[in-house]
Amino acid sequence: MLGAIHFGVLAACFVLFVPMAMAGWHLSRNKMLFFSGALFISLAVCVHLTPYFPSVSDIVASVSSVVVYDHRISCINEVNQIVWDVKPVTNPESVRRNNGSTKLDYFEKNWDWMKSRKVLSCEFQKLDKFDVSDLLNGSWVVVAGDSQARFVALSLLNLVLGSDSKAMESVRGDLFRRHSDYSIVVKEIGMKLDFVWAPYEKDLDDLVVSYKKMKKYPDVVIMGTGLWHMLHVNNASDFGFRLKQLSSHVESLVPFTPKEQEGGGSVSGRSVHLFWIGMPVLINGMLNTDEKKEKMSDTVWHEYDRSLGESKILRQMGGPLILLDIQSFTWNCGPQCTLDGMHYDSAVYDAAVHVMLNALLIESHQTL
């Protein structure tokens, strides 16, 4: 049987290639005739093989989609790559004349994204009020967590309402009421912002579960904790365990499954965009109580930072939330950017907001 197959293949090759070789020998004696014949054969082969391959446009489209997808992932990973320029003000006398000034006012703090090739290719940008209004038009934004989250909420509202000084004065007064929630609707763009005081991970967990139960989901959730747990619980392992629980519930928010849309309540088809506010660098010698200096030491801080990574709540670790890298921002801004070693100058939180907005642009496939 095997010999018959071999014989058949040999006969087929003889029948196919011998005539071709003879024709090639004759054609080679006339170069013009040879190239005309080669072109004709090539075109004939292409025409006959075309049905078995996708069109060129399909190939280009598929390759482009892969490139764009990879570019988006790369840019999300690069969005926190910012650098700082902190220097003394040129006219310190004008600062001294301001009765409400602090040492922070004696330094100019400017930041921008790194100029590396990767970062430049992402075209990150500082957004103005009109860009942010377009991006967040009709959105429900929730900022939840401790005092770091409160400062992020303030920076975001300052960007949206910045030209309205009276409105911002009212916002500051209401937003910074001790350990309280806050809500505002910016009617001009139909944006609602809720700040939820949630200093412990369990508080964030309860908040996420409540959205699940009500089947009402914000468009953007920005959350972060850690400092209160470090001070009042002081157990990094417990912190990591709580974060893992939170991560599992956050993952259940998106994407919405068909089951969630069954029976009764309407569920938006849009995804929830999720962000995590990283912990700031703590400058132990500047902390304002002995208890903080003892419980919030560098060693403890690093244990908590390790637990955050191991919890896999962050996108870079395979989790659901994109990091706003307050740690990196505060480290590079330095001691000139804080009065108490824990809460930093508004420039730090402004940077976090712009990082969030640029990541949101990428995640929502929008351009400005």
Side-chain angles (χ1 to χ4, degrees):
M1 179 69 179
L2 193 59
I5 293 174
H6 285 165
F7 179 78
V9 171
L10 183 62
C13 289
F14 181 82
V15 172
L16 177 65
F17 292 114
V18 169
M20 287 180 65
M22 293 176 66
W25 181 78
H26 287 292
L27 288 174
S28 65
R29 300 177 69 183
N30 186 319
K31 290 184 178 180
M32 182 63 72
L33 188 61
F34 174 77
F35 285 114
S36 298
L39 178 61
F40 175 78
I41 293 171
S42 299
L43 290 174
V45 169
C46 289
V47 168
H48 283 85
L49 292 180
T50 297
Y52 300 99
F53 294 94
S55 67
V56 173
S57 60
D58 289 342
I59 295 173
V60 171
S62 62
V63 171
S64 299
S65 66
V66 171
V67 171
V68 169
Y69 181 69
D70 287 343
H71 185 66
R72 285 179 57 242
I73 294 174
S74 173
C75 288
I76 287 291
N77 292 335
E78 299 294 329
V79 73
N80 284 291
Q81 299 299 320
I82 67 173
V83 291
W84 288 85
D85 180 20
V86 181
K87 57 189 178 184
V89 297
T90 54
N91 187 8
E93 189 57 40
S94 63
V95 176
R96 291 190 191 96
R97 288 197 294 267
N98 185 352
N99 293 331
S101 65
T102 67
K103 78 157 192 174
L104 300 184
D105 299 313
Y106 286 88
F107 294 90
E108 294 178 1
K109 306 163 196 77
N110 298 299
W111 66 273
D112 205 346
W113 280 275
M114 288 181 179
K115 302 303 181 186
S116 68
R117 187 179 65 179
K118 270 188 177 180
V119 174
L120 287 172
S121 70
C122 295
E123 300 181 338
F124 297 132
Q125 55 189 309
K126 294 182 181 180
L127 279 62
D128 60 25
K129 175 180 177 178
F130 302 103
D131 291 334
V132 177
S133 297
D134 285 342
L135 180 59
L136 297 179
N137 184 39
S139 296
W140 176 19
V141 180
V142 172
V143 185
D146 53 20
S147 54
Q148 301 292 314
R150 201 185 293 271
F151 279 112
V152 169
L154 179 65
S155 284
L156 179 56
L157 287 172
N158 191 51
L159 192 54
V160 174
L161 301 170
S163 58
D164 191 340
S165 56
K166 286 187 178 179
M168 279 310 301
E169 187 177 343
S170 173
V171 165
R172 284 190 187 91
D174 293 336
L175 180 60
F176 280 84
R177 286 179 182 168
R178 186 174 174 81
H179 304 169
S180 62
D181 297 345
Y182 173 76
S183 184
I184 183 174
V185 175
V186 183
K187 293 180 181 178
E188 293 80 1
I189 60 173
M191 183 193 90
K192 179 184 179 185
L193 183 141
D194 290 334
F195 170 76
V196 180
W197 173 249
Y200 293 106
E201 302 64 45
K202 180 66 167 61
D203 300 325
L204 293 178
D205 205 26
D206 291 343
L207 180 67
V208 170
V209 170
S210 72
Y211 294 142
K212 190 85 172 172
K213 286 180 178 177
M214 293 186 298
K215 297 186 179 180
K216 290 174 118 183
Y217 303 93
D219 299 290
V220 181
V221 178
I222 310 164
M223 62 173 68
T225 60
L227 296 178
W228 273 59
H229 194 287
M230 191 185 302
L231 180 61
H232 298 293
V233 180
N234 205 243
N235 186 322
S237 297
D238 181 75
F239 176 65
F241 172 75
R242 301 287 180 186
L243 286 181
K244 287 177 183 177
Q245 284 188 319
L246 174 61
S247 180
S248 65
H249 285 129
V250 169
E251 283 177 345
S252 69
L253 283 182
V254 285
F256 302 129
T257 63
K259 266 190 187 176
E260 291 176 88
Q261 301 185 46
E262 289 174 2
S266 61
V267 178
S268 168
R270 291 181 292 181
S271 294
V272 182
H273 300 285
L274 303 161
F275 299 90
W276 181 264
I277 304 167
M279 286 190 299
V281 169
L282 301 178
I283 303 176
N284 192 265
M286 298 179 69
L287 298 178
N288 54 20
T289 69
D290 291 336
E291 183 184 16
K292 288 179 181 177
K293 290 177 182 178
E294 178 188 350
K295 292 184 176 180
M296 306 177 90
S297 65
D298 291 344
T299 301
V300 173
W301 186 93
H302 282 292
E303 289 174 356
Y304 270 71
D305 186 54
R306 193 178 306 113
S307 292
L308 172 63
E310 291 172 353
S311 71
K312 294 187 173 17
I313 197 171
L314 301 178
R315 178 78 63 85
Q316 66 198 73
M317 301 296 180
L321 289 101
I322 297 173
L323 175 67
L324 307 180
D325 196 358
I326 301 293
Q327 173 188 339
S328 171
F329 305 162
T330 51
W331 174 264
N332 290 302
C333 198
Q336 301 92 333
C337 296
T338 179
L339 292 175
D340 62 4
M342 179 186 296
H343 303 99
Y344 281 74
D345 188 272
S346 59
V348 167
Y349 305 103
D350 291 345
V353 166
H354 281 283
V355 164
M356 183 275 295
L357 293 170
N358 276 266
L360 186 57
L361 278 171
I362 298 169
E363 286 281 287
S364 57
H365 306 275
Q366 296 186 58
T367 56
L368 294 173

